[in-house]
Each structure stands twice: as structure tokens, then as C-alpha cells.
Amino acid sequence: MEEKIRELEGLVEDLSSELASGMYQTIQILSNITTFTENFYEGSHSRFVSEKSAILAEELGLNEDMVTEIKIAGLLHDIGKIGYMDSSLYKYPSEMSSSEYKRYTMHPGLSVKILEPYSGFKGICEIISQHHEKLDGSGFPNHIQGNEIHPGARIILVVDTYHNALYKKQRDRTYNNSSSTPYTSTAAFLESTKDKYANTMNYLYKKRGILFDQKVVEAFIRMMELERTSFGRKSVMRVPVNQIVPGMIFAEDYFTKHGMLIAAKGETTKEEMIKALVRFAEAGEIPTRILVMK
């Protein structure tokens, strides 16, 4: 009997691993699809929102399951923009025509429609559906207020607002993969973003408790201040791809020959990325030496 129980436990464990692997692969595929809506950003918007939102959720003491849901929601929050015209994707809402803005406000709902058939995505869909809702009810699509808004959505709203303000390309830029300017030094990076950074942080701070969750804004500002301070102590250099280690920061965007963003400028290298980078370099998809901050 005990042997049979151990055998059943092993089967359950194997099945759980298979399900987890399948879920991970599904998320990766959906995330790759989402990157096709990001031609008008410096670096990867969804990966930035995902990474920073998850860190922020941990800082705020949310449990592990919630942090995971927020991380996935950050990766997939804009998947509903698939099929949107390029002419509207680069615009800020204030620049859109009434018809463009109406379509723009539909993207959280469209994201949910894409994701809701996947079992286990219920909590993720709730976060995504609310990630443009604001405390005073002026957000969209349902104009909910205050604590009615999911904590994960409140976090993503702040990070999303920040990244849009700093890294969305100006409408007079040429939008192609080669238009991304690499960081030549950490000082150049900090100087190039100084004014936008100050304006964005001032806006978030002024609107804390009005549009944005006060605790989220204050924790985010502390987090980004520490990050920018640490940038100032780093150097920019080219490193052989097989010598990249976790914790380095990409100083340039790297795309496949088909235009898929593999590594985003400003993104921190992680263990799971490094093997993939080596494979892409061996296949001639990216250079064998990568520009990083370390």
C-alpha cells in the first residue's frame, strides 16, 4: 500500500511539473506576441512592467502567489493591443482622436478575452482588466474607485505610467529596430533621462492618494532612486556572451533577424536568459559580444 501511495505521489508530482511547464511555455508565447505591440518603446515595456511590479509587490509585503500573478499580468497587460494601428500605438492618450481613444480604452477588455480561456488565469485577468483604473474613478474601462481596484492593478498602473513617460519614443522618431540608441556610459544614461525622470516622479508624487495608491507610489520612488544611484556606480562595456552573469544590465536592445526583441536595454540579466542568449549568438542572431552595464 505504501509503495502504491508513493507511486501515486510521484505521478501527481510529474503531472504538476508538466502542467507548470505547459503554463510557463504558454506565458512565454503570449509574452512574445505582446512584444509586437512595443515597436515604439526604448527597450521592452512589458518586461519592465512585469519585473518592477513584481519587485514592488514583494516590497509591499504581498504573498508569493500574488507576486507571481502580478508578474504575469505585467508581461501580458497590453496583449489586447495586438492589431492596433501603428499610427495610434506611439501616441499618448492626449494626442489621440476620439475614435483612437475609444479603441485604446478597450485594450484591457480585449486582453482579458484573449487570456480568459486559459485555466488558472482568473486572478491575472482581474489585474489586467483593472490596470488603467484610478483611485478617483477617472480611469477605464469601468471607472471603479479606491479599494475596489485590485492591489496588483494599482501597482501595475504606477509602473506602467512611469515607463510610458520615460521610454515611449517621440512621434517624430523613425520607428525601427536600429533606432534604439545604446547607453555609452551610465552618466550619459542618467543625464539623458534626468528631466523626464524628475517630471514623472513629481507627477506620481503629486497624484498619490488621488489617482495612484499612496503606498505604491512612495515605495516605487524609493526603489527607483536606489536603482538610479546604483547605475551611477556601474561601467558600460562589451562582454562575450558566454561571460554574461546574472545582475548585469543590458545597455543596448538585441533583436533577432525577424525583429523579435530578445534582450531589452535597461533589463537585468537573469540565469534563465543567459543560455538562450548563447544559443542566439551561436546561431548568428545576435553579436557574440554584448554591451552591458556592470
Side-chain angles (χ1 to χ4, degrees):
M1 177 64 74
E2 288 181 4
E3 185 178 342
K4 188 67 174 176
I5 289 171
R6 284 196 296 272
E7 184 181 343
L8 288 170
E9 286 174 343
L11 288 171
V12 169
E13 188 175 336
D14 290 344
L15 179 59
S16 297
S17 296
E18 287 177 19
L19 290 171
S21 176
M23 179 80 155
Y24 176 78
Q25 289 174 11
T26 298
I27 291 165
Q28 288 300 112
I29 291 167
L30 293 170
S31 176
N32 289 339
I33 292 170
T34 304
T35 62
F36 288 101
T37 70
E38 298 182 351
N39 294 334
F40 308 109
Y41 286 100
E42 294 281 357
S44 169
H45 176 66
S46 59
R47 293 211 294 256
F48 181 96
V49 171
S50 174
E51 179 184 339
K52 302 304 183 192
S53 295
I55 294 170
L56 196 49
E58 289 180 344
E59 287 285 322
L60 291 166
L62 299 186
N63 65 51
E64 186 177 348
D65 288 344
M66 184 77 77
V67 171
T68 299
E69 286 192 338
I70 290 168
K71 187 172 186 177
I72 296 169
L75 271 178
L76 305 178
H77 72 284
D78 277 344
I79 196 169
K81 290 181 180 177
I82 292 294
Y84 277 34
M85 292 178 62
D86 286 355
S87 59
S88 64
L89 280 175
Y90 67 77
K91 294 180 181 179
Y92 291 103
S94 59
E95 300 173 311
M96 295 177 183
S97 67
S98 59
S99 60
E100 286 173 332
Y101 182 74
K102 183 178 180 181
R103 180 167 173 75
Y104 170 72
T105 62
M106 294 169 63
H107 80 266
L110 292 172
S111 297
V112 170
K113 284 190 178 298
I114 292 169
L115 299 174
E116 63 186 356
Y118 297 91
S119 60
F121 273 40
K122 183 178 179 182
I124 294 162
C125 285
E126 184 179 1
I127 296 169
I128 290 173
S129 71
Q130 298 178 14
H131 78 274
H132 278 291
E133 301 287 2
K134 296 176 179 173
L135 294 188
D136 65 352
S138 64
F140 61 84
N142 296 314
H143 308 289
I144 57 177
Q145 302 179 35
N147 289 332
E148 297 174 26
I149 305 169
H150 193 290
R154 284 181 256 157
I155 289 171
I156 288 177
L157 173 64
V158 170
V159 181
D160 184 54
T161 299
Y162 171 86
H163 194 268
N164 274 318
L166 259 73
Y167 297 106
K168 202 165 190 178
K169 298 176 184 178
Q170 299 301 305
R171 67 185 292 171
D172 59 350
R173 289 284 297 274
T174 301
Y175 301 115
N176 55 50
N177 295 345
S178 63
S179 69
S180 180
T181 306
Y183 299 146
T184 54
S185 71
T186 53
F189 162 71
L190 293 172
E191 182 62 29
S192 69
T193 57
K194 180 178 68 175
D195 291 340
K196 279 186 176 182
Y197 175 80
N199 290 338
T200 302
M201 288 310 196
N202 285 336
Y203 173 72
L204 290 172
Y205 190 77
K206 280 189 212 175
K207 298 297 183 180
R208 76 197 193 288
I210 302 170
L211 303 180
F212 309 107
D213 185 295
Q214 182 167 335
K215 289 182 179 179
V216 173
V217 169
E218 291 172 357
F220 182 68
I221 290 173
R222 287 195 301 270
M223 185 174 83
M224 296 312 297
E225 284 291 311
L226 287 171
E227 182 174 286
R228 286 177 73 85
T229 299
S230 73
F231 274 176
R233 297 193 290 266
K234 295 180 185 293
S235 301
V236 177
M237 59 188 71
R238 288 202 181 272
V239 176
V241 70
N242 60 1
Q243 293 180 23
I244 292 174
V245 296
M248 292 180 176
I249 297 169
F250 295 109
E252 189 171 17
D253 288 333
Y254 291 95
F255 296 85
T256 68
K257 293 172 182 176
H258 301 291
M260 181 184 293
L261 182 65
I262 300 169
K265 182 171 63 176
E267 189 172 12
T268 303
T269 59
K270 294 183 176 60
E271 191 68 50
E272 62 266 23
M273 298 175 63
I274 295 171
K275 290 180 182 178
L277 287 170
V278 171
R279 287 198 302 271
F280 280 117
E282 289 173 347
E285 292 280 353
I286 60 174
T288 57
R289 297 176 69 84
I290 300 293
L291 195 67
V292 296
M293 290 190 280
K294 61 172 287 190

